[in-house]
Amino acid sequence: MGPVQLFEFASRQAEWLASRQAVIAGNVAHADTPNYKAKDVVPFARVLGRTQLAMGATHASHLQGGASASPEVEVKRDRAWEISHSGNSVRLEQELIKTGEVNRGMSLNTSIVQTFHRMLLTSLRSQ
Amino acid sequence: MDPLMASMKVASSGLEAQSARLRIVAENLANSQSTGTTAGADPYARKTISFERVLDRASGSELVKVGKVGRDRVPFRVEHRPGHPAADASGNVKMPNVNPLVELTDMREANRTYEANLQIIRQTRQLVSMTIDLLRS
């Protein structure tokens, strides 16, 4: 059942990439907000090693404890390139590099899924 | 809310905040010569803008919004112009404390952040279309 597991991995990575994009968007939007500290999500390798269980909800207003999004962590002071006088640690260049990384990751992810999907279809057709 | 849609929302709040900043810059530059009309009256005082974060409950992400628009308390420039309607008894007129150089720098910076937010929107749209393309194979 190799390929099926691969699809699961791929969808988890796509989820992680999407959450990372959301965090980067937040950083860029706050590029000029005083005292804003740049954030990043935990690396995918660590997300993959942890099983996340969704909490049961018995009421519509119960919050899901972030079962889908990976938890955000603050970027440490030494990871940020520069901290401006207003206490803001967002560097636009750094953020744009990160969004390039996300884009590349998503492109790799979707082409792998596409290839495996084609493979499955080929094996179905040969019957 | 889907994280990709959330990032679109966050980036558009960034665009909104930066365009408000550009509006303030435009107001300051347009009023850089606006004096008072009565003798010894205060001229236009430069406006300042600051941003703050606000939690969007629908997506759980932090949007940016325009905080307080304040007034710059730098003392006004004084020019000697007897005969001006705003001149005091010794012929001095208070001019606005707008420095075009500072305003243009501010404008440049707002422009840069606006472009960065646009780039995020562009990238996010690409991510969405890459995902949708999966259905097309």
Side-chain angles (χ1 to χ4, degrees):
Chain A
M1 293 303 280
V4 178
Q5 207 183 3
L6 178 126
F7 283 132
E8 195 201 318
F9 278 158
S11 73
R12 283 186 71 177
Q13 204 209 2
E15 226 168 70
W16 178 81
L17 287 167
S19 327
R20 189 165 196 221
Q21 178 75 8
V23 171
I24 296 169
N27 285 346
V28 172
H30 287 283
D32 294 318
T33 309
N35 283 324
Y36 184 84
K37 299 279 176 288
K39 289 180 193 155
D40 202 351
V41 294
V42 294
F44 183 60
R46 265 202 274 157
V47 176
L48 200 60
R50 193 181 50 226
T51 40
Q52 283 181 327
L53 298 174
M55 287 192 288
T58 51
H59 192 266
S61 62
H62 283 174
L63 292 176
Q64 279 296 330
S68 59
S70 27
E72 297 164 15
V73 291
E74 262 188 23
V75 177
K76 300 255 181 350
R77 209 185 152 96
D78 54 350
R79 287 274 315 278
W81 285 4
E82 192 188 340
I83 297 178
S84 64
H85 183 65
S86 64
N88 186 306
S89 70
V90 179
R91 287 300 101 198
L92 285 181
E93 297 85 358
Q94 196 180 12
E95 300 306 323
L96 291 181
I97 288 174
K98 277 199 247 167
T99 161
E101 273 168 19
V102 169
N103 208 328
R104 225 164 30 236
M106 190 63 118
S107 157
L108 178 66
N109 186 308
T110 50
S111 23
I112 287 176
V113 169
Q114 222 155 19
T115 311
F116 270 78
H117 188 233
R118 258 207 310 275
M119 203 178 85
L120 284 184
L121 287 184
T122 318
S123 63
L124 281 179
R125 238 177 259 128
S126 65
Q127 290 291 315
Chain B
M1 196 190 230
D2 179 61
L4 288 180
M5 293 304 116
S7 44
M8 284 282 197
K9 202 168 173 183
V10 173
S12 58
S13 80
L15 290 183
E16 224 176 283
Q18 295 304 324
S19 47
R21 185 182 182 183
L22 275 177
R23 201 198 69 211
I24 298 290
V25 170
E27 281 179 26
N28 284 343
L29 277 177
N31 283 301
S32 62
Q33 299 294 327
S34 303
T35 56
T37 45
T38 52
D42 277 351
Y44 174 84
R46 172 174 179 257
K47 279 185 187 171
T48 57
I49 188 169
S50 94
F51 304 122
E52 56 189 41
R53 42 191 135 158
V54 52
L55 182 71
D56 177 39
R57 287 184 185 279
S59 62
S61 47
E62 282 183 327
L63 304 184
V64 59
K65 94 179 212 304
V66 173
K68 229 177 73 203
V69 175
R71 294 286 182 167
D72 197 338
R73 276 190 274 278
V74 168
F76 299 116
R77 269 184 305 125
V78 175
E79 278 180 15
H80 184 69
R81 278 200 211 165
H84 192 281
D88 59 9
S90 48
N92 288 332
V93 181
K94 286 191 207 158
M95 300 298 285
N97 51 1
V98 176
N99 183 351
L101 194 66
V102 172
E103 299 305 326
L104 289 179
T105 316
D106 207 31
M107 186 173 84
R108 197 75 205 96
E109 208 171 314
N111 212 338
R112 207 174 73 111
T113 315
Y114 193 93
E115 266 172 32
N117 276 301
L118 271 186
Q119 184 64 23
I120 292 290
I121 289 183
R122 229 175 271 138
Q123 295 260 26
T124 308
R125 210 175 44 195
Q126 231 172 29
L127 294 189
V128 173
S129 66
M130 262 186 233
T131 314
I132 292 175
D133 278 349
L134 278 181
L135 295 173
R136 244 176 251 170
S137 60

